[in-house]
Amino acid sequence: MMEKLLIICVFVGIIHMIETLAYSVRIAGLKTGKLVVALSLFNIIVIVSRTANMVQAPLTGKLGDAVQSKEDLSLLLQQLQTILLAASIGTIAGALLIPSFVSIFSRMISHLEVAGSVPKMMKNITSIYTLEKAKKHVKRPRWIMLSQLRIGGVPKRLLLLNLMATTIYTVGVLSTLYASTLEPTLSKSILMSSGLINGLAMITLAVFVDPQVAILTEKVMKGESTKQSMNKMVGTLVISRLCGTVCAQILLVPAALYIAWICKLIP
């Protein structure tokens, strides 16, 4: 069981690390002047996240299937809390890797332009010579970066919405799994509600968060705003995302109880 939990935590960590790095894709696009290419190229990395999610989902479901008693229920709660901890660790890892990612990803964009296709680019960048050169693009995060992340200038409403969306997205599936074990007779209807919960988070991101980031990116491209303002927004969004994973830890049980209560009300 511990091996299965470890595998789930690794996959969850990878998912949240990639989703954290997604914030910095626009920085790489602005740095190279190839924003559209950057967003397109990142979709390839997103495939890794989607694959990890497909693998960990049924494994996480198996944890719920193993519940047969109150002792098992207590163990499940600890396991789910561990998975949420892995989400926070993955977010922190992604934040620490942002400086190196921006530098390396910018080089990948240049390689793609030269190669003309993703398969050729992958062939070029996986050569021994290119991998050795990539070492110089690895950058350590510096404390000065944190000192520049004052909230002033970044809409507090945007950070709050990002925090809320991250919390819902992170806790959604796990809370429905826990709720289904609390109310076994309603397990099917509870599990089916996870899509609705995650959908709410996706709508919040798509309608309120992403357009704001896109508007700022457009202003930077036109010279109406500075690149520092973009860096600042990305940094504060990453912090709000981390806070969202911590809030998910706090809301795991209350959310499960609320979901179970709602499903009871459905005729």
Side-chain angles (χ1 to χ4, degrees):
M1 185 65 73
M2 285 300 297
E3 292 179 358
K4 185 184 295 183
L5 180 61
L6 179 61
I7 293 172
I8 294 170
C9 288
V10 169
F11 281 127
V12 169
I14 291 172
I15 292 166
H16 283 265
M17 181 183 70
I18 292 175
E19 290 177 353
T20 302
L21 291 173
Y23 291 120
S24 63
V25 172
R26 296 179 190 274
I27 297 177
L30 292 172
K31 182 179 179 180
T32 58
K34 307 290 181 182
L35 181 60
V36 176
V37 178
L39 293 173
S40 178
L41 183 58
F42 188 73
N43 286 334
I44 299 171
I45 302 177
V46 171
I47 293 175
V48 178
S49 174
R50 296 290 184 269
T51 303
N53 192 46
M54 286 190 295
V55 173
Q56 69 85 22
L59 292 177
T60 306
K62 279 289 185 179
L63 298 179
D65 293 340
V67 174
Q68 302 293 335
S69 63
K70 289 185 177 180
E71 289 75 14
D72 292 337
L73 190 61
S74 176
L75 176 61
L76 175 64
L77 179 59
Q78 293 175 15
Q79 291 171 332
L80 297 180
Q81 290 171 335
T82 303
I83 293 171
L84 289 174
L85 177 61
S88 297
I89 293 173
T91 302
I92 294 172
L96 295 175
L97 288 173
I98 283 178
S100 298
F101 177 79
V102 170
S103 181
I104 294 172
F105 195 70
S106 298
R107 291 299 303 159
M108 288 178 65
I109 294 171
S110 301
H111 280 293
L112 178 59
E113 285 192 298
V114 173
S117 68
V118 173
K120 288 183 180 179
M121 180 202 70
M122 295 302 296
K123 181 180 179 181
N124 293 339
I125 66 176
T126 52
S127 66
I128 301 297
Y129 175 71
T130 306
L131 291 175
E132 288 179 349
K133 284 182 64 179
K135 294 179 182 178
K136 70 178 183 179
H137 296 291
V138 176
K139 298 182 179 180
R140 293 181 180 179
R142 295 174 295 172
W143 285 109
I144 192 173
M145 296 177 182
L146 287 176
S147 66
Q148 297 172 347
L149 298 181
R150 297 181 180 88
I151 296 180
V154 180
K156 295 180 179 63
R157 178 169 170 267
L158 176 66
L159 300 180
L160 181 60
L161 287 169
N162 189 57
L163 185 150
M164 289 172 55
T166 302
T167 302
I168 295 170
Y169 172 76
T170 304
V171 80
V173 174
L174 299 183
S175 60
T176 53
L177 176 62
Y178 188 60
S180 68
T181 59
L182 292 175
E183 297 290 341
T185 57
L186 299 172
S187 60
K188 290 182 176 61
S189 59
I190 289 174
L191 290 173
M192 291 299 289
S193 67
S194 63
L196 178 63
I197 296 168
N198 282 348
L200 179 61
M202 294 299 102
I203 291 171
T204 302
L205 288 173
V207 176
F208 299 105
V209 178
D210 289 345
Q212 289 284 336
V213 179
I215 289 171
L216 178 60
T217 305
E218 190 71 19
K219 287 182 177 179
V220 174
M221 291 180 67
K222 291 180 178 180
E224 298 174 3
S225 188
T226 63
K227 291 184 178 179
Q228 285 73 18
S229 61
M230 188 68 194
N231 294 340
K232 185 177 182 180
M233 176 170 280
V234 168
T236 50
L237 284 174
V238 168
I239 292 175
S240 71
R241 177 182 178 81
L242 177 60
C243 292
T245 62
V246 175
C247 288
Q249 189 83 245
I250 298 170
L251 293 176
L252 175 60
V253 175
L257 294 173
Y258 180 73
I259 292 168
W261 178 70
I262 290 293
C263 289
K264 282 181 180 179
L265 296 179
I266 299 175

